Every structure is written in C-alpha cells, then in structure tokens.
C-alpha cells in the first residue's frame, strides 16, 4: 500500500495546526502569570509566550532586574521586575570555560570532579538566591496584593529553578510547567515511575539497553542525583515551611502541577513510562523554514551541489581554545562545501575562504535549507530537536550538561556521530567526512524527521491547547495520580510487604512450635511407658 | 476570564474531527486483518471497522462459523470463516443467570466463590478452544498461504482472547490492539508500571485512595489475577512454542504490540502511569445524538418537563427474577416520568402505563435527548462512557465482570449511585428519587462530560490516526520500551541490589574481621610482655 508519511501524517499535522490556529480566537484571552528561568531556558519560554500572546492571552512575566535575556519592555508581555543585586550568568560562563579547558587538555577525572563539585555548590547557591528573592517578593504586601488583584488564571513556569512553583501554591493558582529539568534531575523522575533497569539517569552516558555493569552504574548515578536533590531541596522546603499554610515540600509541590508541557518526545528520547498529565511538546519551536536573508542565500547558493555545513556550539560558548578553533577552521578550509560557523571568539588563523564566521545565524532557516548537509553542534536540546525536525544529520561535539546524552540518542539511531573536544585535532576531518558522505546518517535522520512530524496535533498546538484547558477547567486535578499524597513506604507497599512477611513468619513459627510440641509428646510417652 | 468549555474545547474537538475526516481520504487504503473477540467486544471492534472502512481501508475479519454477532457477509469487510463446532455464548449466559440468582437470593460468599471458580475454569477452556482453532488455522497450508499472499499491513485485534496476537507474530505483521482486557487481567498491568498502592486491581471494588487494609486487599486481588494468568497463559505459550520460531510467551507478545488503542480515559478511570504507545480512545463510539424514531419521540415528548428515565441491563441479560422485575416496574409506575426499559423477559405484572418495554432501543440517541433525566444501567464500559459523553447521571445496578468497578468510578465522582441487586426491593425507589432530584448528580456528570469532550483530537480520530500511523511507518517500535525484553530480576534491578548487598556485607565482614584481628593483636602483646 502506498501511504506516504509526507502525503498524510505531516499533512494532517500542518492542517490541524492551521485549524487550531483558526479556531482558537473565539476564546476570550486568559490571564497568565509566567515565572521563567533566565538564560537558554528563557528561549523556550519565550517561544510559548509568543504563541499564547498571538492567540489573545494576556501575559505577565516576573523577571530579575539584572536579567540579560528577559527584557523589561516587550510587546508580548507586561513585566514585574524584582530587584536583584547579582547577575547569574558570569558564574555559569566561568564554569563552562574551565570545563572546556579541562576537556581540551584531557584533564584527570579528579580535575573534572573538582570542577563539577564547584558547579554543584554554585548551582545550589543560585537556588538559594532565587528562594531569597521569592521570600522578598512574598514579604512585600504591595506586591502580593497586586499579584492577587490581577486575578491570574494560572502560573506558567519552568521548574528547573522553582520559586514559581511555590508562588503558584501561595496564590492558590493552577500550575502549568514548561519543563525538561527539575531541581536536582530530569522531570520524569519526580512524577513517573522510572525503572532504573532501562531508564538511563541523565549524564550517565547510558542508553535504554544496559548490561549488568551499566545498570550498576545507572543506580550509582541515580544516588548522585538524589544527593543533589537533598542538597537543593531544603532551600525550597524552608520557604514552603514559612509561607505555605500547613507546610509542604518542593517535591510534593512539583508533583501537584496540573500539566507538564515536556520539552521532549519519543522520537528524540528513549521510550519510558509517562503520566496522564505529561504532554510532550519536543520540537514545539520548529516551523517551516523561512527564506534566508539575500546575502546569506547567495553565500549558500555559491556552494552548488556540495552544499553547506553549519556549525554552532550554543549561546553560552563565546570562545574556544586557539588550537581547537584552528583545527576546526583548517578542516573546513579543505572542504568543497561552504561553511557557516557561529563563533564569537578570535578569528582562527587557518580560516578558509569558504567559511563564514557569524555572531548569529538564522539557525532554523539554515537547517531547513535544502542545501544544508551537516549540522556541527554541541547537542543542546533545542538544536538537536531542530536537526530532527529538518532532517539534518549531526556531528556532535558535546561540551557539558545534557549535551552528551542528547547526542547519544541521535548516535544510537544512526542519525549523528559524537566527537569529544579532545579528539578534534585527530578526528574532526574524518568524522565530518563520514557524516557528510555516509548515506545512512541522512536516511536515519530523515526517518526520525518523518516520525516527529507525524503527530495528530503539532507540539505547539498541544502546548496551547493544554494551557487553555487548564484555564477552562481551573486545573486538571483528574489527570494527577494519588501517588504524591502518599508516604514512600505506602507508595511501595512496604507496609503491606512487612505485614505479609510477619504473617508468614508467624505461621512458620507456629508450625515449627506445634511440630516440636508434637514430637516432644510423641517421644516422651514411649519413655514414660518404658519406665 | 470567560472561556467556556462548550465554546472552545468541545468546539475544537468537533472541528478537528471534521478536519481529520475531510483530510484523510488522500491516504491510499490500507489492508487490515482483524482478529476480533466475539460477543460484546465485537460491538467495539465493529465501530472501529466502520470508521476504517469509511476512510477507505480494506478490512478482512477472521470469524468463527458459529458466531452469532460477527456476520459472514458485510459491506464493511471480507470474512475468513474458521469452522467451529461449539458456540461460546451459552456457557456465558448460564454463568450469568446463576450469578444473578445468587445475588437476588443474597447467597453466601461460598456460593459466589463456587460460581466464580466454575466460570474461571470454563473461561480457561474457552481460551484453550480458541488456541486449538488457531493451531487448526496455522496447520492449514492453503489458509496460511492465502493470509501471507494478502499482504496485510497490520493485524488489529482485541487481546482479551489472544490468538490474533500470535497470528500477527506468525505473519510478521505490525500489531494494533483495540483493548481493555488481556488474558488474565486489565491491559495496563501487562505493559505499564502499576503501583498497587494506588492502582486498584479490577474487581477488587477499590478506588485509587486506599487505606492500609485496602492495600492489603489489593495485593491479595493482584495475586488472584496472577494465578488466573498462570492458568490461562500456558494455553497460549504452547502455541507460541510450536509455531513461533525461537519460541516466546504470550506476555512478551502482548508487550510487543505497536499501539494499544485503550478503551478508557482519565475522565472515566483513575489516573495512573501509562506508556508512550497507549492511546486512550474511551468513548470513541459516541457521536452527537440523532433524532429518535417518530413514535419514540412522541412517547418521550409525552413526559413533558418531568422527562424520561431509560433503563437497560446490557445485551447479555435477557431476563430478571420475577420479584426483581416486579419491584422495578412498580416503582417506575409511580413516577411522573416516562420510562423506556430494554427488557426481553416476561412482562412484569406491576408495569405502569408510563413504562415502555422494548427489545432494543437507540441508546445513544436516547441518552443524548434533552429530556433524558436518569440512566438506570448495569455499568458496562460502553454504557458508562456514553452516559459520560451525554452527561446523564447513572443509577447503577452492577451484575458481574467489571460493572461494579465502572460504576464505582462514577459514584466516586458524585455522578452516579450504585444499588445492588439484593437491595432493589427496599431501596430502588429512594435511590432513583435521589439521582433524579439531587442536582449534584447531574452537575457532576455534566462536568465529566465537559472534560471528556475537551480533547485536542476526538477519540475515534485518534484511533484511526494511530492505525494509519502504524501502516505508514510499518510499526511503532520507537514507542515501545525495552522493559519487555528483560528478565524480571533485571527489570527490578534485583541483581544490582544483590550485588550492592553483597558488597556491603563483604565490607562489614572485612571491617569486623580487621577489628577483631586488631583487638586480638592489641590484647595479646601486653600478655606476651607480662610473660
């Protein structure tokens, strides 16, 4: 039979998106309070805000006075500014630079451990700082009155840094997450059963197919994640204790959220148990590519049939060590392709004429360009999902965070290849040639793209639908399990197991006692007779 | 804010359904092999077949020569008939009549136990019979050749009775379930993690809120379900062993299915962990009500503002004991409402003029009629889901199977009331008055109806989308976890736990040995000196 995914699935998806867009305006605008996380997380939240704004909802964003990303004035939202005296970004950048240097130098495990420990401690301080500022907000009667008077319909937040979760509880408002990470781990681990036998813990570098040793490692990494949760959780719990009537803890509050708009899906991630209130919106930022600016289009067309390679290592990496950038540039210089490289560092001395260095590039439109052959990327979630959407194979150079995990998912499906920073000088050329010329990479990526695009409703429409759903029904409590209300020993039925064990033990003991008593009687009587 | 569910959510749902219907014809027709379960399960399968046929797919149904429900000739499908020499229905009816009699007589627990045991044994025989007929099919080279030559795109089956599952594996075809039950229990228990602390085992009569004693009961009921699985599983495993290369077992085959179209949702059922390849299609048979036949409409209109009560106890119950039917009829006779009662038994002597006895009624159209006030029903899944869809409160008289569980879900949400068969003579009137006149029942049912209708895609469109998805992509392996490939001790990481316990024990033993050795040395030397 001849059903083609492009004829039908993708068609339905686009068509339904158009239907939803054309149908939603009759809904009155809702009133949404957004408590975002700064930095790259804001990019995701902003995409959703743009869509919600376009569909007639009123958005209010709480931002820090020192934020570099979240502007005070925007046509999309009103803002509430909380005065901060510290910037968050520098400490991140400092850590990232140290990490990159250690990777290039092939530093010892101990060096990485020290850097990671420093980061975890700094990250914990960041959470503490954000909790302090929430407390400052809640201690301000004018601010609290203003928030209450605004009669918001819901709080939309990214719980990676979680004051928004507590604020929603404080204001007694329904709660929607735009989420991938939570304080101390990956979001699923807080809400859905996660058997460690086939669900790799983030940053473990494992897949869903684990042998015995790998499962031992996975359990070890899970313990580390729990420790991290133990480190960060108390900052939030203290605020809950102080401001929420009856007290509570941050894990329960996370589990109480009405809807989890999860920035992932099962084309990108390994399949796993999920929950009725988790909605997968992976790739929700992707749209059909727009035409490139004329100069860029001319440059791309100059490549002819050889096509274009594009490279970026994300928003947070401004610079690379000279030996690395020179090695990359010299490989690019040899290629017949044109190269567009987003790089803010010093111009490499080996840069070829075919390579265009840019401060910023229209990444999605370039990925969607028919001449683009390979995406050299660090493996940030957004970039990987965009590569899937547009079907461009990836040569991944993971730097930190979840980037290795993300790229591993592509490599596992034959749609990408991972190259470590320390291998650049030896293997960059060979790896690039492999991803460029081995057809399987493009075919596998195209398969992922077909699967990703073949959904009954486009991810962004899902996201908007469920935000509006929570507004219409004032929450979605019926999609939330009873699990989060139970103590852990009840959840795992340990009390029942103990009871059954006790019953079995009692039965065994009674049997043994009875048996011994009978034996004693049987053996004793003959003796009495003998007397 | 003023978003109304009826303005928006339901509108979107209807609109998207129309869009899907109008958009799908460009897909070429697929070639679907259906292996249905007879009886009431066929009703569900037929609804889906009608829709798939309407969307241009070719359907082939495998049926038994003795089937009462699945006709050989149909404009919807071609049929393949397997010659059977036994009818399945009589043994069901016999059990059901015994069960009803025992309920009315308020029989002892032992009587119920005996009836249930007889039923389980007969049910096991039924599975064995079906396995034999599959073997007969697979031993017929002409039949096998014909099945292979037909080049089906997938097998669609209801795994409540599971030969279709084995046939799909034998023919190496993708597999889609239209499912609620599997051999030996509820579908979810075979594929999704199901913590017994808040997921009630079917027929336990428990909800998702359980105290300690109830959790003990739940674990007990789960053990019974496992025993039942142990009883039935081997019939299938023997067939797998004989016909599937490399052998396998039925539980693994169930877990290998590509998509589970699950006849439930979380408006009807308690929320619980789910899986990426489970698609909830609860209420997929519901459509906006059609006008009633003129005579019936006249009868209904005759009720005026008092409205109508409708009653049915399902397709399997032909008759009720005289005292029960008389008691019901006499209560109906006193009411100002009109009553439409689907009843094939002897005409009750107490029947009032306001009560119309019918052999069959257009149940969905009556439930969707604005004058319908209460639905007196046995609590079959279809009826309950239709009551939710049309927002009609239910007075439930559960008879057997999952009917009590279904009605419990309504009662728990204040949208229905359960009345046992043994309580009819004392409490029927009072209960009926309560559900008729207490506003909360209607309001709560309306809330469930609003939630059920507010979905991004209508359940039937979801069902068709995912059937076509499996055809487009030749399966949906990427939505299936690795869980089913693991031995149980690996799945639960018991081997890892054992290793860790061994390591801890070894460490403790070494420490104790070391400590004893040191103590020995420390205590010994002074003695030596004393010498």
């Amino acid at each position: 039979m001849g059903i083609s995914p492009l004829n039908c699935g993708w068609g339905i998806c686009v068509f339904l998106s158009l239907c939803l867009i054309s149908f939603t305006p009759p809904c009155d605008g809702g009133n949404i309070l957004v408590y975002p996380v700064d930095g790259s997380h804001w990019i995701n939240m902003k995409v959703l805000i743009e869509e919600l704004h376009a569909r007639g909802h009123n958005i209010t964003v709480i931002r820090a006075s020192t934020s570099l990303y979240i502007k005070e004035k925007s046509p999309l939202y009103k803002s509430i500014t909380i005065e901060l005296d510290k910037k968050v970004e520098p400490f991140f950048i400092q850590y990232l630079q140290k990490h990159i240097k250690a990777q290039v130098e092939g530093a010892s495990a101990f060096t990485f451990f020290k850097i990671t420990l420093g980061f975890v401690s700094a990250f914990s301080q960041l959470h503490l700082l954000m909790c302090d500022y929430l407390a400052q907000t809640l201690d301000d009667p004018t601010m609290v009155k203003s928030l209450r008077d605004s009669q918001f319909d819901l709080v939309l937040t990214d719980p990676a840094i979680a004051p928004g979760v507590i604020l929603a509880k404080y204001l007694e408002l329904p709660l929607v997450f735009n989420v991938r990470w939570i304080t101390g781990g990956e979001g699923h681990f807080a809400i859905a059963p996660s058997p460690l036998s086939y669900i790799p813990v983030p940053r473990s570098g494992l897949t869903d197919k684990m042998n015995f040793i790998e499962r031992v490692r996975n359990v070890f990494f899970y313990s580390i994640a729990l420790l991290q949760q133990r480190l960060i959780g108390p900052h939030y719990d203290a605020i809950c204790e102080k401001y929420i009537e009856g007290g509570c803890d941050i894990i329960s509050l996370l589990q109480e959220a009405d809807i989890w708009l999860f920035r992932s899906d099962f084309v990108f991630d390994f399949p796993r148990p999920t929950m009725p209130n988790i909605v997968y919106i992976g790739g929700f930022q992707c749209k059909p590519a727009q035409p490139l600016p004329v100069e860029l289009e001319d440059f791309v067309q100059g490549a002819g049939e050889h096509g274009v390679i594009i490279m970026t290592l994300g928003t947070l990496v401004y610079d690379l060590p000279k030996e690395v950038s020179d090695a990359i540039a010299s490989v690019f210089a040899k290629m017949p392709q044109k190269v567009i490289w987003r790089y803010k560092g010093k111009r490499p001395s080996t840069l070829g004429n075919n390579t265009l260095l840019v401060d910023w590039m229209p990444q999605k439109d370039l990925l969607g360009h028919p001449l683009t052959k390979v995406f050299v990327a660090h493996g940030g979630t957004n970039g990987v999902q965009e590569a899937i959407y547009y079907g461009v194979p990836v040569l991944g150079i993971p730097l930190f965070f979840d980037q290795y995990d993300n790229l591993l998912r592509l490599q596992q499906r034959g749609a990408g290849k991972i190259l470590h920073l320390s291998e650049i000088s030896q293997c960059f050329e060979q790896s690039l040639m492999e991803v460029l010329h081995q057809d399987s990479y493009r075919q596998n990526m195209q398969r992922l793209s077909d699967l990703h695009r073949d959904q009954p409703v486009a991810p962004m429409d899902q996201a908007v639908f469920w935000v509006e759903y929570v507004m219409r029904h004032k929450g979605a409590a019926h999609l939330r399990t009873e699990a989060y209300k139970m103590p852990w020993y009840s959840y795992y039925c340990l009390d029942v197991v103990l009871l059954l064990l006790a019953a079995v033990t009692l039965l065994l003991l009674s049997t043994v006692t009875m048996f011994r008593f009978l034996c004693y009687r049987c053996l004793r009587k003959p003796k009495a007779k003998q007397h």
Side-chain angles (χ1 to χ4, degrees), chain A:
Chain A
M1 55 142 250
I3 294 182
S4 135
L6 282 171
N7 280 352
C8 192
W10 177 220
I12 291 174
C13 186
V14 167
F15 196 71
L16 289 185
S17 307
L18 292 173
C19 299
L20 269 171
I21 292 165
S22 67
F23 197 71
T24 33
C27 295
D28 296 348
N31 204 5
I32 301 170
L33 178 62
V34 181
Y35 203 115
V37 168
D38 212 337
S40 62
H41 285 239
W42 167 248
I43 299 171
N44 288 306
M45 189 60 98
K46 200 179 161 209
V47 172
L48 183 54
I49 288 175
E50 279 166 1
E51 196 65 33
L52 288 167
H53 175 263
R55 300 200 190 187
H57 300 292
N58 305 312
I59 320 279
T60 305
V61 173
I62 296 188
R63 63 181 284 280
S65 57
T66 53
S67 173
L68 287 176
Y69 289 79
I70 310 170
K71 305 290 174 215
E72 189 176 5
K73 297 204 180 303
S74 162
L76 300 173
Y77 55 80
K78 286 186 286 184
S79 67
I80 296 173
T81 300
I82 298 173
E83 291 303 321
L84 286 204
D85 46 23
K86 283 186 193 163
K87 281 189 187 171
V88 171
E89 192 154 349
F91 109 88
F92 262 115
I93 302 297
Q94 183 191 350
Y95 160 75
L96 303 183
Q97 291 300 344
K98 270 190 195 169
H99 205 281
I100 289 177
K101 196 161 165 275
Q103 284 180 71
V104 173
E105 287 168 359
S108 67
F110 181 68
T111 308
F112 280 109
F113 179 71
K114 264 197 332 192
I115 296 173
T116 306
L117 216 63
F119 177 71
V120 168
S121 153
F123 199 58
S124 168
Q125 290 303 312
L126 170 67
H127 281 280
L128 189 58
L129 188 75
M130 291 299 146
C131 284
D132 285 348
Y133 283 107
L134 175 67
Q136 180 184 311
T137 312
L138 298 183
D139 283 336
D140 176 352
T142 323
M143 176 72 90
V144 169
K145 186 173 182 310
S146 152
L147 287 172
R148 285 204 195 279
D149 290 349
S150 299
Q151 294 197 298
F152 294 109
D153 293 307
L154 61 84
V155 171
L156 173 63
T157 191
D158 183 333
I161 296 178
V165 179
I166 302 177
L167 184 65
K169 180 80 177 173
Y170 184 81
L171 297 175
E172 295 170 328
L173 288 173
L175 181 58
V176 175
F177 288 161
N178 176 358
V179 56
R180 190 160 146 78
W181 303 102
I182 52 159
T183 55
E186 203 253 7
H188 280 113
F189 282 84
I191 185 175
S194 307
L196 292 176
S197 47
Y198 69 93
I199 299 175
V201 171
R203 299 201 224 168
S204 62
L206 298 165
T207 71
D208 59 347
K209 291 171 197 70
M210 290 181 254
N211 61 29
F212 176 68
I213 298 296
E214 287 169 334
R215 278 186 285 117
V216 173
R217 276 177 55 198
N218 203 36
V219 170
F220 170 75
F221 278 107
Y222 183 64
S223 319
I224 304 273
L226 281 185
L227 274 177
Q228 204 178 336
Q229 177 56 44
R230 282 286 153 112
L231 192 71
I232 295 168
H235 305 333
Y236 290 97
D237 294 347
I239 300 285
C240 292
E241 195 63 40
K242 188 169 170 193
Y243 294 94
I244 306 298
E245 216 180 296
C248 59
D249 64 284
I250 188 67
I251 290 292
S252 303
L253 283 191
L254 286 168
Q255 291 171 330
E256 257 187 64
D258 290 284
I259 293 288
W260 295 56
L261 303 175
F262 214 95
R263 297 195 299 270
S264 180
D265 65 19
F266 298 112
V267 173
F268 166 62
D269 211 345
F270 301 125
R272 54 156 296 138
T274 171
M275 282 296 195
N277 59 345
I278 299 186
V279 176
Y280 293 91
I281 60 163
F284 72 126
Q285 76 277 21
C286 300
K287 291 175 183 174
Q290 298 299 305
L292 298 175
V294 179
E295 282 171 31
L296 203 58
E297 180 65 37
D298 288 347
F299 180 78
V300 167
Q301 290 299 342
E305 64 180 8
H306 294 298
V308 179
I309 297 164
I310 62 173
M311 171 163 175
T312 172
L313 297 181
T315 41
L316 290 173
V317 177
Y318 296 96
D319 206 359
L320 284 173
K322 189 177 177 324
E323 62 270 35
V324 176
S325 55
D326 279 358
I328 292 174
S330 69
V331 170
F332 282 153
K334 291 186 220 167
M335 313 291 286
Q337 282 77 20
K338 295 272 182 186
V339 181
I340 300 165
W341 182 4
R342 183 191 179 190
Y343 186 60
K344 291 185 186 175
K346 208 181 151 202
R347 189 180 172 82
S349 55
T350 53
L351 201 76
N353 289 333
N354 66 336
T355 307
L356 185 66
L357 281 195
V358 290
D359 264 10
W360 175 89
M361 61 185 183
Q363 184 173 303
K364 283 181 273 191
D365 302 332
L366 274 168
L367 283 170
H369 197 287
L371 281 178
T372 301
K373 300 294 178 193
V374 171
F375 184 28
V376 183
H378 60 310
T381 309
N382 287 344
V384 168
Q385 281 174 339
E386 287 158 19
I388 291 176
Y389 178 88
Y390 297 107
V392 179
V394 172
L395 175 59
I397 306 170
L399 302 176
F400 22 69
F401 304 142
D402 57 337
Q403 296 165 5
Y404 180 78
D405 283 333
N406 294 340
L407 292 167
L408 188 62
R409 279 144 182 76
L410 291 187
Q411 184 166 275
Q412 186 79 358
R413 283 134 178 165
K417 186 179 168 70
I418 296 176
L419 189 67
H420 291 285
L421 211 47
S422 57
E423 302 166 325
I424 292 276
S425 46
Q426 277 82 47
C427 311
F428 186 64
E429 183 172 0
Q430 185 194 337
S431 303
L432 189 58
M433 297 296 277
E434 183 182 325
V435 179
L436 256 173
H437 297 297
Q438 208 166 295
D439 272 355
S440 63
Y441 285 104
R442 178 161 285 270
Q443 285 159 2
N444 288 326
M445 196 51 130
Q446 191 53 51
R447 209 188 115 258
L448 294 186
S449 182
D450 293 344
L451 288 172
H452 173 80
R453 288 171 175 236
D454 196 4
Q455 298 183 47
V457 177
M460 178 61 94
D461 295 320
Q462 283 271 17
V464 174
F465 176 88
W466 287 102
V467 167
E468 292 180 345
Y469 182 96
V470 169
M471 289 197 268
R472 286 195 287 275
H473 302 287
K474 307 197 184 312
H478 67 291
L479 297 178
R480 225 160 42 195
T481 68
E482 285 297 303
Y484 75 101
K485 295 176 189 163
M486 306 178 118
W488 63 272
Y489 53 86
S490 299
Y491 176 84
Y492 290 108
C493 276
L494 287 187
D495 44 4
V496 176
V497 169
L498 272 183
L499 178 85
L500 295 180
L501 279 182
V504 169
T505 312
L506 200 69
L507 193 73
L508 278 179
L509 279 181
S510 326
T511 313
V512 168
T513 311
M514 185 88 74
F515 187 72
R516 285 179 66 179
F517 176 73
L518 286 176
C519 286
Y520 174 74
R521 289 285 294 247
C522 293
L523 293 174
R524 206 177 162 211
K525 275 184 187 168
K527 274 185 190 170
K529 274 183 192 170
Q530 276 172 3
H531 276 286

